[in-house]
Amino acid sequence: MCINFTPPTHRQLLDGFGLDAAGLEWRADTWQDYAAPIITRNGLSLASYGFVPKPHLPPGVRLTTMNARAESIGEKPTYKGAWRKGQLCLVPMQAFFEPCYETGKAVRTRIGRADGEPFAVAGMWRAWEEEGGGVSHAFTQITVNADDHPLMKRMHKPDDEKRSLVIVPPAQYQAWLGCSEPELARTFLTLFPAELMTASDAPLPRRT
C-alpha cells in the first residue's frame, strides 16, 4: 500500500492541471496526516492524507486509512458513506513510493510516469467538523489488485497481495470527478499500462 508520495509543485499544478494554488502550502513529501493538494469537482483544496485523521480517532484506536480497497470501498463503514455520495477526488503527484523486495530486503522505489510528467490518482474525500467550529478535509487513495501487473507485481513482500494506486488518464479527469454512480465509478478503477510507468531506487527522505 502507498503511504508516501511526492505532491506536485505549484508550477506543475498550474501547467499540468490549470489550477492556481496561490496561498496554499504543503510539504515536499506527503506522509500520513500531512496536508496535500487534492482536486474535487469544486476545485483545488488542501486535505489531510488519511481518511480518518489521528485527531478524529477514538482514544486507543489505531486505524490506517491512507488507502481504500476498491473491492470493499462500498461496504466498509469508514468509506461507504462518501463512496455512495460520489465524493471522489484526484490526488495529483509527481511520484509515489513502494517497497521492492527483489533483492531480499525492502528497497524504497519511486514510481512515476515514464515521460516524467505529473499525474493524478483516484481518491475519495470527506469533511470533518473541528472543535471550536470550522471544517477540515481528508482523503484516501483507492487501490486495486496488481498481481498480474508487470511493474506493480514487483512491489511489496513476496507473499503479500500486490496492490496499486489507480492512475487516472487526463482525458478521464472530469468524468471521474463528476461521476455520482458508484457502479459507474468502479469502471474507472483500472491499472495504468506498465510501459507508461517507470520505477527507480529512491533514498528515504528526512521527515519534517
Side-chain angles (χ1 to χ4, degrees), residues 122-163:
M124 191 170 65
W125 68 274
R126 66 156 294 172
W128 288 96
E129 293 185 4
E130 300 295 344
E131 288 186 15
V135 175
S136 66
H137 296 90
F139 71 95
T140 187
Q141 300 164 141
I142 302 174
T143 69
V144 293
N145 180 274
D147 284 344
D148 297 320
H149 190 267
L151 174 60
M152 297 306 300
K153 72 179 182 181
R154 298 170 49 202
M155 305 301 140
H156 301 289
K157 294 180 179 179
D159 295 331
D160 286 354
E161 180 193 3
K162 312 306 178 183
R163 305 290 298 179

Side-chain angles (χ1 to χ4, degrees), residues 23-186:
L24 301 180
E25 297 295 334
W26 55 88
R27 301 180 190 185
D29 280 283
T30 303
W31 300 85
Q32 185 175 6
D33 292 316
Y34 284 21
I38 64 168
I39 305 166
T40 72
R41 65 189 65 172
N42 296 318
L44 182 70
S45 66
L46 285 185
S48 180
Y49 185 24
F51 214 57
V52 184
K54 287 181 181 178
H56 291 278
L57 287 172
V61 173
R62 298 181 64 184
L63 184 65
T64 300
T65 54
M66 290 173 284
N67 300 281
R69 294 172 62 93
E71 297 86 345
S72 58
I73 197 170
E75 290 74 46
K76 291 287 186 181
T78 301
Y79 304 116
K80 66 181 181 181
W83 175 251
R84 292 172 185 176
K85 292 176 184 176
Q87 291 176 196
L88 307 178
C89 69
L90 292 166
V91 185
M93 59 183 67
Q94 300 178 53
F96 60 93
F97 299 89
E98 300 284 8
C100 178
Y101 281 82
E102 290 178 333
T103 64
K105 61 181 181 179
V107 175
R108 184 173 184 261
T109 304
R110 182 186 191 275
I111 300 167
R113 284 184 52 137
D115 60 10
E117 292 296 314
F119 55 94
V121 304
M124 191 170 65
W125 68 274
R126 66 156 294 172
W128 288 96
E129 293 185 4
E130 300 295 344
E131 288 186 15
V135 175
S136 66
H137 296 90
F139 71 95
T140 187
Q141 300 164 141
I142 302 174
T143 69
V144 293
N145 180 274
D147 284 344
D148 297 320
H149 190 267
L151 174 60
M152 297 306 300
K153 72 179 182 181
R154 298 170 49 202
M155 305 301 140
H156 301 289
K157 294 180 179 179
D159 295 331
D160 286 354
E161 180 193 3
K162 312 306 178 183
R163 305 290 298 179
S164 177
L165 300 182
V166 176
I167 298 176
V168 181
Q172 295 181 4
Y173 285 172
Q174 294 307 314
W176 168 252
L177 293 176
C179 186
S180 59
E181 296 293 332
E183 290 311 308
L184 180 59
R186 288 188 185 279

